[in-house]
Amino acid sequence: MYEKVTEKILNVGVNDPDIKLFENQYELPDGMAYNSYLILDDEICLMDSVDADVTDEWLANIDAALEGKKIAHMVVQHMEPDHSGSLIAITDKFPEMKLYMSAGAKNMLSQFFDKDLSGRVNIIKEGDTLSLGSHKLSFIAAPMVHWPEVMMTYEAEEKVLFSADGFGKFGVRGAEADDWACEARRYYFNIVGKYGMQVQNVLKKAADLPLEHICSLHGPVLPENEELSFYLDKYNTWSKYEPEDSGVALIYASIHDQGTKQAALKLKELLEARGVKVGVTNLTEDDLHEGVEDAFRYDRMILCASSYDADLFPPMTKFLNVLKIKAYQKRKVALVENGSWAPSAARVMKTYVEGFKDVTLADPVVTIKSTLKDADIEKLEAIVNALCD
């Protein structure tokens, strides 16, 4: 069924509790929400479609909301398949419905679909408007948040921002014990995070808009449990790459349990004894993308990794490659390596860290040999001192 945003704006999107991976890589313990909105007015407008896996339920929601009426207009804000996957189904159902999208989105139509929809498309650009009756839509270009063709839409009558993938989160709507910031943070840094400057540009455009709701294509309609400023402030912090919390992201990749893992656990103990908040990620067991979230959340990070083939244990290599892609910056980082005969992990990790923008490498870099020994604990204490003093 549909959910009311206001009396005239309805969310006809679909929860998919069964999907396990988003983009075939991000773990979804609570499934995913695909949002789509109907604006009821003299001329009815549909905002985006949904993933092809949930087309039938989406169409049923639309039928229930329309009560026999027809859709005159459809705005396509984002062409990624989780939002355009049902586009052909809805255009077949309403053959007279006009489509509104950016020039970039129109160029992508033939890449995704064999059916020619170009004759129904009205190209929109920033500053263009569409009147539905009492509701008036104005369009905001949002390139690279997180695809180049993205548009956002502002509805002035009810002060609603349709934010495309912006302000989205993992998980279905209405999940028990829902914490927007946790899964929105993981979503932001892993999907949108590379494009902080572009997010800042959109935030500046939206700064003077009177807002009562933000309607993302994923997750709940905002505000949910906080004032709207809470969500805007989070996005402002995240998109500036500023630390959100004081603490340490402790990321480790250990081949066996006796050495690297024990060093990481000892570091956790030492940090917590100093009252430091610690987010721990075991890259061989935990979701790598939780580690990415913590790396951006906290102002400091410790990397602990085993040496491997005169190089770096591959799970840590993968993690550091993701941080590189996502433009990790403005933090302080410490390194711990383990090696039984020719330790090499620190050398490789240092290469990555030195390539990050505005990142300070803490001294000392610690090397342990095979297993953690009493003599190594003093070295670990030196790292804690370097990060905390």
Side-chain angles (χ1 to χ4, degrees):
M1 283 294 292
Y2 61 85
E3 300 175 0
K4 287 186 177 182
V5 178
T6 69
E7 286 299 316
K8 296 296 184 179
I9 299 177
L10 310 178
N11 186 350
V12 292
V14 180
N15 277 335
D16 183 356
D18 298 321
I19 185 173
K20 302 303 180 187
L21 290 175
F22 185 70
E23 294 185 353
N24 276 333
Q25 59 179 320
Y26 303 112
E27 294 182 12
L28 295 175
D30 298 313
M32 196 67 176
Y34 303 105
N35 295 332
S36 170
Y37 302 92
L38 274 179
I39 304 174
L40 305 178
D41 208 321
D42 296 340
E43 297 179 353
I44 295 174
C45 183
L46 176 66
M47 305 296 297
D48 295 286
S49 77
V50 295
D51 191 88
D53 287 343
V54 294
T55 299
D56 290 344
E57 186 176 349
W58 177 62
L59 293 176
N61 289 347
I62 289 173
D63 284 342
L66 287 175
E67 298 179 336
K69 300 182 181 70
K70 295 186 181 297
I71 301 173
H73 310 287
M74 179 178 183
V75 176
V76 179
Q77 299 185 116
H78 185 22
M79 279 295 297
E80 195 169 5
D82 56 320
H83 305 300
S84 67
S86 300
L87 187 59
I88 298 301
I90 197 68
T91 54
D92 285 347
K93 186 176 179 69
F94 297 99
E96 296 180 359
M97 180 180 68
K98 298 175 183 178
L99 301 175
Y100 297 80
M101 63 186 70
S102 67
K106 183 180 179 181
N107 291 338
M108 291 182 182
L109 280 174
S110 62
Q111 298 172 201
F112 285 106
F113 308 114
D114 293 330
K115 185 174 181 178
D116 184 7
L117 298 172
S118 59
R120 300 171 62 173
V121 171
N122 296 274
I123 293 177
I124 53 176
K125 61 185 184 300
E126 181 161 334
D128 287 349
T129 60
L130 174 63
S131 179
L132 308 176
S134 63
H135 295 80
K136 183 177 180 180
L137 306 181
S138 56
F139 301 106
I140 302 167
M144 301 318 300
V145 187
H146 61 121
W147 277 24
E149 88 300 358
V150 172
M151 300 289 289
M152 294 183 184
T153 307
Y154 178 67
E155 199 292 298
E157 175 69 17
E158 304 202 63
K159 303 178 179 62
V160 174
L161 177 66
F162 297 94
S163 60
D165 269 349
F167 297 93
K169 66 180 286 290
F170 295 126
V172 297
R173 296 186 307 277
E176 291 185 13
D178 195 30
D179 178 355
W180 180 88
C182 179
E183 286 295 66
R185 185 187 301 108
R186 185 166 70 100
Y187 177 94
Y188 175 86
F189 283 114
N190 285 287
I191 293 178
V192 187
K194 180 178 181 178
Y195 304 108
M197 179 177 68
Q198 290 84 351
V199 173
Q200 278 288 303
N201 290 338
V202 172
L203 289 174
K204 290 173 184 175
K205 293 177 185 180
D208 295 328
L209 295 176
L211 285 180
E212 293 187 6
H213 295 290
I214 296 176
C215 292
S216 174
L217 292 178
H218 295 296
V221 172
L222 304 177
E224 192 179 30
N225 299 320
E226 307 281 352
E227 295 293 329
L228 202 54
S229 60
F230 169 85
Y231 308 96
L232 293 166
D233 288 346
K234 289 293 185 189
Y235 254 61
N236 189 44
T237 298
W238 296 343
S239 58
K240 288 180 177 178
Y241 303 97
E242 300 289 349
E244 183 181 351
D245 291 322
S246 175
V248 174
L250 178 54
I251 316 294
Y252 72 94
S254 185
I255 302 171
H256 304 291
D257 288 344
Q258 299 93 334
T260 310
K261 179 178 180 178
Q262 292 306 311
L265 295 178
K266 187 63 180 179
L267 281 166
K268 178 177 183 291
E269 176 187 320
L270 294 170
L271 287 163
E272 289 179 340
R274 298 278 290 265
V276 177
K277 183 183 290 187
V278 185
V280 180
T281 301
N282 177 356
L283 292 175
T284 64
E285 295 181 2
D286 301 332
D287 177 13
L288 173 149
H289 303 102
E290 294 277 4
V292 173
E293 175 191 347
D294 278 349
F296 281 98
R297 178 177 185 174
Y298 296 117
D299 57 346
R300 290 155 287 174
M301 180 169 66
I302 302 177
L303 303 172
C304 302
S306 303
S307 303
Y308 198 86
D309 285 344
D311 202 275
L312 180 62
F313 190 36
M316 181 61 78
T317 302
K318 182 178 179 180
F319 174 77
L320 290 171
N321 273 323
V322 173
L323 287 192
K324 178 181 178 181
I325 291 168
K326 303 303 179 183
Y328 181 78
Q329 57 188 272
K330 298 182 181 179
R331 304 295 193 275
K332 189 171 186 178
V333 178
L335 305 179
V336 176
E337 69 174 351
N338 188 6
S340 293
W341 61 92
S344 55
R347 168 179 52 82
V348 181
M349 290 190 290
K350 185 178 180 181
T351 299
Y352 279 98
V353 171
E354 289 178 341
F356 296 146
K357 181 181 177 181
D358 295 333
V359 168
T360 301
L361 183 62
D363 186 44
V365 173
V366 171
T367 299
I368 61 175
K369 293 289 189 76
S370 302
T371 60
L372 183 68
K373 302 174 181 65
D374 290 342
D376 296 319
I377 295 176
E378 185 175 339
K379 303 175 188 177
L380 300 182
E381 289 173 338
I383 281 185
V384 171
N385 290 335
L387 291 178
C388 295
D389 293 344

